[in-house]
Amino acid sequence: MKSSASTSSKRHCSGTLALQIKEKARAVGFDLVGITGAQSPQHTHEFQQWLASGFHGEMGYMAKNAEKRVDPSKILADVRSVVVVGLNYNTEDPGSSLLPTKREEGGIARYAWGARDYHDVLSEKLRQLASAIDECGGPETRSLWYVDTGPILERGLAQRAGIGFVGKHTNLISRQLGNWIFVGEVLTNLELPPDEPAREYCGACQRCADVCPTRAIVAPHQLDARLCISYLTIELKGAIPVELRSLIGDHVFGCDDCLEVCPWNRFAKLSPAREFQRREMPPLTEFLSWDEQRFRDFFRDTPIFRIKRHGFLRNVCVVLGNTGDASALPALERALADPEPLVREHAAWAIDQIQSRSLGIKSAV
Ligand code: B12
């Protein structure tokens, strides 16, 4: 879990505490910072409804610690404030990018383009921020930091801390940076003055819902994760439901379709972070010949490592089945002998898709 406690014995602080903390957040490299109280996030009820509808699918961890997610004091008993931060990960101009040639490699979600996992990048910065908060607050100060994996409704808190608003696609949108931002937070027992919550600025726009290939945004601000391509290609451990495979298109890891069309991205700025810059990928068919070691050497330290070789090759097969031609068949046929049954099954499906397409037969699914 990407989180840690931090305590300090020093007691010295000058100037306004909240301002100092914000300055420190910027100094360690965060683009956005805001402060909110420790009460339950807004829309707690909607979160509970989301769980009750089963929209979390196989993400059992979302239901397991649901009471913690809606009450920060179940994480840090005497919590008084939450310092929420945002980090820009936009490394390419969304308007001019998504280079058609790059898409031949398959669509990898922007957050996973780089050589490092954002959890690690944010963890380093959050650790520094939490120590600074403890240092400023004095010996009684206790702080806990999280990025992503903690039992926290990060986006609800982020909106209340004023760093952005939750759009209809359910992602946090900054009016200064668009929606390419990671979120992290420090829970602290310091009483800090809260910032103004952000208002919602989606208006009548619903481009995100309209563009989603699987219609996963079932209502504004409501995502049925079981349909979301990000869930299907990252969180789902086993076979991808056959009826959804063709809708996955060329998304080999995650999906940014709903994020790309957001009009607020016209304010996106380029992130200088080297860790998130897009790195070269081999053609998809090449991955099928990679063994565990090769996969690990290439993807270690990146978000893709998490789904392991068999998860990634499962996705590669689906994308080749959707986009590949006869030239992909030899690699897929070799994958029929892969040690992983999951890969073998998806390779067989892909072969069937490509052959049906070349014969002009519309496949059953
Ligand atoms: C589970 C999860 C997923 C799941 C489910 C996503 C979802 N929408 O719930 C899946 C695997 C699908 C996923 C996908 C992605 N994820 Co994710 N994910 C999470 C995680 C761990 C929990 C999210 C959660 O609690 N979901 C439950 C729902 C109900 O909560 P919520 O969407 O946050 O809902 C809040 C608001 O939407 C609002 N709300 C709810 N209903 C309503 C109704 C109305 C009317 C209103 C006004 C508001 C409102 O209140 C809720 C509670 O505060 C968070 C980290 C975290 N701990 O929060 C990262 C996180 C949300 N993911 C992140 C990212 C980057 C992604 C992807 C972009 C990755 C990708 N490219 O593939 C996609 C985006 C897909 C999408 N459209 O959401 C970032 C988002 C950053 C941002 N700018 O928002 C987070 C915050 C991680 C991080 N620390 O940076 N993710």
Side-chain angles (χ1 to χ4, degrees):
M1 180 190 286
K2 298 291 177 189
S3 70
S4 174
S6 146
T7 50
S8 161
S9 55
K10 282 199 195 162
R11 187 182 187 87
H12 173 69
C13 213
S14 61
T16 314
L17 205 49
L19 271 180
Q20 273 187 296
I21 289 170
K22 287 178 181 175
E23 266 166 30
K24 181 67 187 178
R26 292 191 187 278
V28 301
F30 289 114
D31 300 285
L32 304 167
V33 54
I35 295 172
T36 184
Q39 59 280 32
S40 292
Q42 269 178 297
H43 306 294
T44 289
H45 176 71
E46 281 84 351
F47 166 66
Q48 283 154 345
Q49 284 295 313
W50 184 79
L51 286 177
S53 307
F55 286 173
H56 57 300
E58 290 180 9
M59 296 182 290
Y61 58 89
M62 292 298 301
K64 204 168 130 204
N65 47 28
E67 351 61 74
K68 283 191 180 167
R69 276 180 205 270
V70 300
D71 181 0
S73 76
K74 293 221 161 68
I75 306 173
L76 181 66
D78 55 349
V79 62
R80 290 287 173 275
S81 312
V82 186
V83 180
V84 189
V85 289
L87 187 70
N88 177 12
Y89 68 94
N90 174 42
T91 50
E92 229 169 63
D93 177 1
S96 66
S97 71
L98 286 201
L99 323 153
T101 50
K102 291 280 181 192
R103 289 302 280 248
E104 281 165 22
E105 296 166 353
I108 291 188
R110 184 176 294 251
Y111 89 94
W113 281 357
R116 280 194 77 197
D117 191 315
Y118 76 92
H119 297 94
D120 298 332
V121 177
L122 268 83
S123 294
E124 281 166 19
K125 297 183 191 302
L126 283 163
R127 190 175 296 120
Q128 292 179 54
L129 179 60
S131 323
I133 292 175
D134 287 344
E135 193 131 325
C136 286
E140 302 302 315
T141 313
R142 269 176 306 137
S143 306
L144 261 180
W145 55 265
Y146 287 97
V147 46
D148 185 45
T149 52
I152 305 209
L153 287 172
E154 295 187 322
R155 300 191 270 206
L157 291 174
Q159 173 152 354
R160 207 173 61 203
I163 68 166
F165 65 93
V166 177
K168 288 181 186 169
H169 54 15
T170 78
N171 291 291
L172 191 78
I173 303 170
S174 151
R175 290 167 74 204
Q176 287 80 43
L177 292 172
N179 58 204
W180 308 110
I181 30 178
F182 296 124
V183 181
E185 55 283 320
V186 181
L187 276 61
T188 175
N189 62 352
L190 281 181
E191 191 90 53
L192 297 167
D195 287 299
E196 264 310 290
R199 274 186 43 210
E200 205 228 275
Y201 290 94
C202 285
C205 176
Q206 51 165 49
R207 286 190 204 179
C208 52
D210 292 344
V211 80
C212 176
T214 53
R215 295 273 171 258
I217 301 170
V218 292
H221 312 281
Q222 276 185 53
L223 182 97
D224 183 346
R226 295 168 301 181
L227 296 173
C228 177
I229 292 173
S230 177
Y231 169 84
L232 294 168
T233 57
I234 303 175
E235 295 293 328
L236 188 69
K237 303 288 172 262
I240 296 180
V242 177
E243 65 281 10
L244 294 175
R245 290 183 193 174
S246 60
L247 300 176
I248 286 175
D250 72 350
H251 295 291
V252 79
F253 184 84
C255 176
D256 286 334
D257 286 6
C258 63
L259 292 143
E260 268 163 21
V261 296
C262 178
W264 285 101
N265 290 333
R266 66 183 179 277
F267 298 110
K269 295 176 183 59
L270 287 178
S271 160
R274 274 186 294 125
E275 302 93 328
F276 304 141
Q277 303 297 322
R278 192 202 275 270
R279 60 181 193 149
E280 285 302 311
M281 290 279 171
L284 280 184
T285 46
E286 194 180 314
F287 289 120
L288 293 174
S289 65
W290 285 14
D291 63 9
E292 284 289 349
Q293 192 56 51
R294 182 86 181 85
F295 176 84
R296 252 180 283 177
D297 291 346
F298 192 77
F299 286 120
R300 184 178 289 122
D301 300 331
T302 80
I304 295 175
F305 191 61
R306 215 186 117 219
I307 66 167
K308 305 199 175 86
R309 174 184 174 276
H310 60 269
F312 189 67
L313 295 197
R314 170 198 67 180
N315 298 348
V316 166
C317 290
V318 170
V319 171
L320 287 173
N322 291 332
T323 63
D325 57 23
S327 65
L329 287 173
L332 283 165
E333 272 153 12
R334 276 193 302 276
L336 290 175
D338 195 274
E340 294 287 346
L342 190 69
V343 178
R344 295 202 296 270
E345 190 262 300
H346 286 73
W349 176 86
I351 292 168
D352 186 50
Q353 294 296 301
I354 295 174
Q355 284 174 341
S356 306
R357 216 169 21 246
S358 70
L359 294 171
I361 304 167
K362 190 158 168 21
S363 171
V365 278

